[in-house]
């Protein structure tokens, strides 16, 4: 199956994917929460429902640009202006057959949240992803919006799953890379890539602990 080629077989993430499909097919929204490097953006790429079209929204856009960009992704010829923002919002709320993906939701302009609430209440599902401070902010400033979201917390994938995925590494090497990178998936992948490049240079088919330690000497232990 194509998804398993790019997705480590983690039971939590598999169950989360099913939960998200159940929500968005019912027109309900989700908040995916996780610290830096746990794989939120990668997980979002796995959300590919057959019955709904995914539309990615740039969370750094200004308040008048955000609704227009969503409509543009849906192939509507609209221009982003403050004067037309209410019209664009109303148009989005009247449409169906799609869901909105908002990665890095912690970057959203605070003024955007009431607009997003209108979209959520219209039955247009939104999948938010962001740092834990998104939930903290909503709990304080917009508890009504938070109550409309199902929160799913992503944690770093366990070492055993990495051992199964990185078969060109000795298990001890993977364990040490995971420990030294403190569960930061970006740093973990960076070290693994460095190890693979070095192994290729040395013509080694298996990356052992000694080779891995060459790239971990500058990383402090927890």
């Amino acid at each position: 199956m194509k998804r398993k080629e790019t997705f480590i077989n983690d039971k939590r993430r598999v169950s989360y994917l099913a939960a998200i499909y159940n929500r968005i097919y019912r027109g309900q929204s989700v908040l995916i929460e996780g610290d830096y490097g746990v794989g939120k953006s990668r997980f979002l790429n796995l959300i590919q429902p057959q019955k709904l079209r995914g539309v990615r929204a740039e969370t750094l856009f200004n308040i008048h640009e955000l609704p227009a960009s969503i409509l543009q992704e849906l192939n509507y010829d609209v221009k982003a202006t403050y004067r037309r923002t209410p019209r664009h919002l109303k148009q989005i709320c009247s449409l169906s057959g799609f869901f909105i993906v908002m990665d890095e939701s912690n970057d959203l302009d605070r003024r955007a949240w009431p607009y997003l609430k209108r979209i959520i209440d219209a039955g247009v599902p939104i999948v938010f992803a962001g740092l834990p401070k998104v939930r903290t902010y909503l709990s304080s400033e917009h508890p009504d919006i938070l109550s409309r979201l199902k929160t799913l917390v992503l944690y770093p994938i366990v070492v055993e799953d990495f051992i199964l995925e990185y078969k060109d590494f000795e298990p001890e090497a993977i364990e040490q890379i995971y420990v030294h990178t403190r569960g930061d998936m970006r740093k973990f992948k960076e070290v693994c890539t460095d190890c693979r490049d070095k192994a290729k240079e040395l013509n080694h088919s298996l990356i052992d602990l000694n080779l891995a330690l060459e790239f971990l000497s500058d990383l402090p232990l927890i």
Side-chain angles (χ1 to χ4, degrees):
M1 186 176 177
K2 184 178 260 186
R3 277 183 185 155
K4 289 189 177 180
E5 295 173 2
T6 57
F7 180 57
I8 297 174
N9 188 21
D10 177 75
K11 290 182 179 179
R12 182 187 299 273
R13 283 162 167 76
V14 171
S15 66
Y16 279 4
L17 199 58
I20 289 171
Y21 285 159
N22 288 336
R23 293 280 298 182
I24 63 178
Y25 281 144
R26 295 198 301 265
Q28 298 173 323
S29 300
V30 179
L31 169 61
I32 300 170
E33 173 187 305
D35 287 318
Y36 292 107
V38 299
K40 297 185 294 296
S41 296
R42 185 185 182 194
F43 181 74
L44 288 176
N45 291 333
L46 298 172
I47 305 173
Q48 300 176 17
Q50 296 180 354
K51 300 177 183 179
L52 293 174
R53 175 180 175 180
V55 174
R56 284 191 172 259
E58 175 53 67
T59 53
L60 287 174
F61 281 167
N62 291 326
I63 186 61
H64 68 288
E65 295 173 317
L66 184 57
S69 69
I70 293 172
L71 290 172
Q72 288 165 0
E73 287 291 319
L74 291 168
N75 299 323
Y76 286 90
D77 185 14
V78 297
K79 294 182 179 180
T81 66
Y82 284 106
R83 182 173 57 84
R84 297 179 182 179
T85 299
R87 184 194 312 171
H88 292 161
L89 176 62
K90 185 175 181 180
Q91 186 174 0
I92 291 171
C93 293
S94 69
L95 300 174
S96 61
F98 71 103
F99 71 103
I100 301 169
V101 177
M102 308 201 79
D103 198 3
E104 306 291 353
S105 296
N106 34 282
D107 292 332
L108 278 166
D109 187 320
R110 295 190 171 203
R111 296 172 298 172
W113 286 103
Y115 287 79
L116 296 172
K117 178 186 174 185
R118 298 294 191 279
I119 294 173
I120 292 170
D121 287 347
V124 176
I126 303 178
V127 178
F128 299 95
L131 299 172
K133 64 182 180 180
V134 174
R135 178 164 44 153
T136 301
Y137 168 73
L138 291 177
S139 178
S140 172
E141 303 297 328
H142 297 287
D144 53 337
I145 297 179
L146 184 59
S147 69
R148 290 161 165 78
L149 306 175
K150 181 178 181 64
T151 302
L152 303 174
V153 181
L154 281 185
Y155 298 97
I157 298 173
V158 294
V159 176
E160 288 80 2
D161 290 321
F162 281 116
I163 290 173
L164 292 175
E165 177 75 7
Y166 290 79
K167 295 183 178 179
D168 52 336
F169 287 75
E170 287 186 349
E172 294 81 3
I174 285 293
E175 289 173 1
Q176 287 303 310
I177 294 172
Y178 185 86
V179 169
H180 279 75
T181 56
R182 306 185 184 191
D184 185 325
M185 296 301 101
R186 292 188 183 91
K187 179 60 67 174
F188 178 92
K189 292 177 183 179
E190 178 184 324
V191 173
C192 287
T193 297
D194 290 340
C195 288
R196 282 170 166 160
D197 289 343
K198 185 66 175 181
K200 185 177 181 180
E201 177 185 327
L202 298 173
N203 199 28
H204 289 178
S205 60
L206 186 66
I207 298 166
D208 61 17
L209 178 58
N210 289 332
L211 193 155
L213 288 175
E214 292 183 25
F215 297 95
L216 299 175
S217 58
D218 295 330
L219 297 176
L221 283 169
I222 297 174

